[in-house]
Every structure is written in C-alpha cells, then in structure tokens.
Amino acid sequence: MVRMRLPNGMFLAGVVGGAAAMAGLFWLATALIARSESTTELNQYDTMLVDGHKALKPQIVAGRTQSLYHPLPWVGTKVEVSCPTGLKALAGTTMTCTGERHDGSTIDIPVTVIRATDTHITWKFER
C-alpha cells in the first residue's frame, strides 16, 4: 500500500474547496426547487374570461402557487392559497392572492403576469 502525504496547506485547500463546492450545489438546488415562476397552457379546462380577456382560473393559480410556495423547509411558509379572480392573460397584470397559515394568520401573495400569448401565460408570485 502506497501512502501519500499532503502538505497541510493542500489538505486545508481541499477541505475548503470541497465545502465551497457543496455550498454552491446546495444554493443551486434550492434556487431550482424554490422557483416562483410558472408557465401554464391556456386551454379550455383552465381558462375563463375576465373583462373579455382570457384568464387562468383562480383555482389553477392558487393550486400552483401553494405547491411552489413551500417546496423546502428553509424556503417559504406552508400556506393554503386562495385567489379572488382569474389571472388575466395580459403582460403586466397583477393581483393579490391570500395565503392562510395553520395558525389562522394570513399573508398577501402578489402575482404578476410576465408574458402572455393566445396559448400560454407565464406568471410569478412573490414570497
């Protein structure tokens, strides 16, 4: 068996480099999992009309927001989400959904349309 001895500085550099790499992977995984942007198809089942415009039904916005709001224990708060109306498929449209915590307190969840076409809507919510 061949034993290699590393100078103390090299060992320390390896440990620090390994820790930095793990922290970077942790951050990347959290960023990917904790996304708050969603693109949804505007089909006959998920769409309604609001003020004459195609809109994503409120239960679709609420369900997607609720599923993405608390994806990891260290990101977001576990809430039950409800939205007041459909989300109009017009870029720049905003509305506020409500998140109810298990203790009965509520939080406002702003929702904004980023892009919209005749067939898809891309929107995001704020944590």
Side-chain angles (χ1 to χ4, degrees), residues 4-121:
M4 255 178 79
R5 293 194 72 148
L6 296 175
N8 286 339
M10 289 182 75
F11 175 75
L12 183 59
V15 169
V16 170
M22 291 303 292
L25 286 174
F26 177 78
W27 177 84
L28 179 62
T30 298
L32 290 173
I33 293 171
R35 65 191 169 89
S36 65
E37 186 176 304
S38 185
T39 298
T40 309
E41 182 179 4
L42 294 170
N43 60 40
Q44 64 185 13
Y45 307 107
D46 301 334
T47 306
M48 60 187 285
L49 288 178
V50 173
D51 298 331
H53 295 280
K54 279 186 179 180
L56 195 57
K57 289 183 178 178
Q59 62 267 31
I60 302 298
V61 177
R64 181 73 55 84
T65 300
Q66 183 172 314
S67 71
L68 295 174
Y69 201 84
H70 182 66
L72 299 168
W74 57 89
V75 176
T77 305
K78 200 168 205 172
V79 292
E80 295 287 326
V81 177
S82 62
C83 298
T85 186
L87 181 60
K88 281 194 256 183
L90 293 171
T93 298
T94 62
M95 75 173 183
T96 302
C97 295
T98 302
E100 184 175 343
R101 296 182 179 123
H102 293 290
D103 65 3
S105 63
T106 60
I107 55 174
D108 290 340
I109 304 171
V111 177
T112 304
V113 176
I114 300 168
R115 288 179 300 283
T117 67
D118 287 341
T119 59
H120 290 84
I121 181 173

